[in-house]
Each structure stands twice: as structure tokens, then as C-alpha cells.
Amino acid sequence: MTASHTAEITGLYRYPIKGLTPEHLSRVALRVGQTLLADRRYAIENGPSGFAPDAPEWKPKIQFLMLARNERLAELDSRFDDATNLLTIRKDGQIVASGDLETATGRAAIEAYFTENFQPELKGPPKVLSGRDHSFSDVARKVVSIINLGSVRAIETMLGGVPVHPLRFRANLYVKGWPAWSELDLVGQTLAVGQARLKVIKRIVRCPATNVDPETAKRDLEIPPTLSRHLGHMDCGIYAEVIADGEIGVGDVVVVEEPKLV
């Protein structure tokens, strides 16, 4: 794909608590080597993980509550406030838990809700984890995830016309304008969005989390097996690292930069 293949950002999302609700953003500042603000800043430990907040290290997602195994998380509507660190969780429109995630009391309030309501999925006491500027990403690097809506439409065709909600893929950026699957060939290339630059580092291998409808919490599709049958792999979307600061927003154009000649 060349620089003439531009795309447009149609959606920007962050996920302050791993496995919980996506939060829509209209604009966001990107910083070199960082995720979107507060993206995957917290996770809910599902049994002892060995995670040390004072010396945070990447842990596999199986150590946390996650949609891949705990689809009931999608029944919850959570909102995180950056100014107060307050997490508010609603179910069926009613507040069921809230707490300041930077205080022991606040974390205990959230943990108590999951202790009471997420048996028998729990492998041990649920614990709200954070680690300074650590990101509980599925990969051991601070990344921005990108989904090409053209590829989502192609999956719908593979499924016989069944609608596929793009938020099943829990991406940071959703873009339109690229041909289906062309984003998979961008590994190693640089994307320009205004002053910001992102280097594509990896294709995203999809897991069973994509089988869960983000609105109904039903595990109603088989997306990874469908990809495998039709394409011979289970990849959809790309990870990129921020290599130049800049502000991006919905409606901005994404350009694939031409490699510089040496």
C-alpha cells in the first residue's frame, strides 16, 4: 500500500480498565512511546498473578478478567474520570459499584462487586491492579491498535452477511478507506496523522473476545475460526507505536508515508 492509499479516522476509543467499557474520544494527544491517555491503565486480577505495582512487568491476559473468557463483563457500563480517578460501574442503568481506583477504599469497593457477582469465574480474590504508567495491553509494548473497517465488512461477507459490531475488536482507532486486509501489509511502515507518526509493528492475532457482542454480551459468533478458514490466519488489525507527538481526532486523514530514500 502506498501513500496514495489514505484512510479516515471514524472512531477513537480508550479502555481505562482492561475488559470493561470502551470510552469514545473525539480528539486525543499522542506521545512518543505511549498509549492513548489511560488506555488499559488498570486491570482486574483474576487469581494471583505475581504482578508487582512498584516494578510492573507485562503479564498475559489470562491473569485478568477479560472478555475472551468472561463475556458477562460486556453487560457492565463503566466510566472512568481522569480528574478524580473515579470508576463508576452501571448495570441495566443502575450504579452497582464506584470507587477511586487510586485509593485502597475505592479499589475495595470495586473488588467487592466482582467478588459477589463473578463467581464461579474467579480463580481467586479479584484485585484492581495499576502500575504507575504501565499498560495492561495484550502485548508487552505500549501500542495503539488500529482496525480497518473494510476488513470488518469483509468478515461480515465471510459470515454470510451477519452484521459485525466493530467494537468487538476493541481497537483504539477505527479507519475507513483502505481496501480489506491491506493494513496487514503495513508492518514496518509509518502512518502520518497530522504531526503524529505511528510505526506499524505487528499484526493483531484475534482471540475469542471478538466472539462476544459488545451490546448484548452474547458469545454469538466464531470470528477467529472464520478468519482461519477463509484466510489461513486469524489476523485482523495492526499495532503501531507512536514515534512522533501529535494530536489526532475523528475525521483526520491517515497517510501511509513513502519510505525515505537513503
Side-chain angles (χ1 to χ4, degrees), residues 209-222:
T210 56
N211 296 335
V212 179
D213 188 306
E215 295 182 334
T216 67
K218 301 297 184 184
R219 195 177 294 276
D220 57 359
L221 294 179
E222 293 188 345

Side-chain angles (χ1 to χ4, degrees), residues 29-33 193-197 242-247:
L30 297 183
R31 297 290 178 259
V32 172
V193 188
Q195 297 299 311
R197 297 293 183 274
V242 180
I243 59 173
D245 294 352
E247 186 175 288

Side-chain angles (χ1 to χ4, degrees), residues 22-201:
E23 295 187 358
H24 179 264
L25 305 168
S26 56
R27 297 196 69 77
V28 66
L30 297 183
R31 297 290 178 259
V32 172
Q34 299 299 315
T35 64
L36 270 65
L37 176 66
D39 190 54
R40 276 83 173 185
R41 177 176 168 182
Y42 301 95
I44 302 169
E45 183 182 61
N46 187 10
S49 68
F51 181 82
D54 293 334
E57 294 182 350
W58 181 84
K59 298 288 182 181
K61 61 186 175 184
I62 196 167
Q63 303 283 355
F64 314 112
L65 288 176
M66 57 174 180
L67 285 173
R69 290 194 173 184
N70 315 112
E71 62 266 27
R72 288 198 296 133
L73 293 172
E75 296 177 348
L76 307 177
D77 177 20
S78 64
R79 289 294 180 269
F80 179 73
D81 182 81
D82 294 295
T84 62
N85 300 309
L86 183 70
L87 175 67
T88 302
I89 301 177
R90 291 177 171 82
K91 184 177 180 184
D92 300 326
Q94 301 296 315
I95 295 177
V96 294
S98 65
D100 179 345
L101 298 188
E102 291 301 312
T103 68
T105 300
R107 292 191 295 272
I110 301 300
E111 292 161 359
Y113 174 79
F114 285 99
T115 298
E116 182 176 352
N117 293 279
F118 271 74
Q119 304 288 353
E121 290 122 303
L122 298 177
K123 302 174 183 177
K127 184 178 179 181
V128 176
L129 298 179
S130 66
R132 292 177 289 205
D133 64 346
H134 181 75
S135 174
F136 292 93
S137 171
D138 286 352
V139 294
R141 297 165 78 166
K142 290 188 177 180
V143 292
V144 174
S145 57
I146 304 171
I147 282 288
N148 174 12
L149 293 176
S151 298
V152 177
R153 300 289 84 84
I155 293 172
E156 291 178 336
T157 299
M158 293 175 186
L159 292 168
V162 175
V164 174
H165 198 307
L167 286 181
R168 287 178 183 264
F169 299 93
R170 296 181 67 80
N172 298 128
L173 275 65
Y174 290 87
V175 303
K176 68 177 183 180
W178 287 340
W181 311 117
S182 58
E183 73 279 9
L184 301 181
D185 297 324
L186 292 176
V187 175
Q189 297 196 54
T190 298
L191 307 178
V193 188
Q195 297 299 311
R197 297 293 183 274
L198 301 95
K199 185 170 183 179
V200 181
I201 62 164

Side-chain angles (χ1 to χ4, degrees), residues 217-233:
K218 301 297 184 184
R219 195 177 294 276
D220 57 359
L221 294 179
E222 293 188 345
I223 288 179
T226 298
L227 292 171
S228 183
R229 285 195 303 272
H230 286 263
L231 302 177
H233 60 71

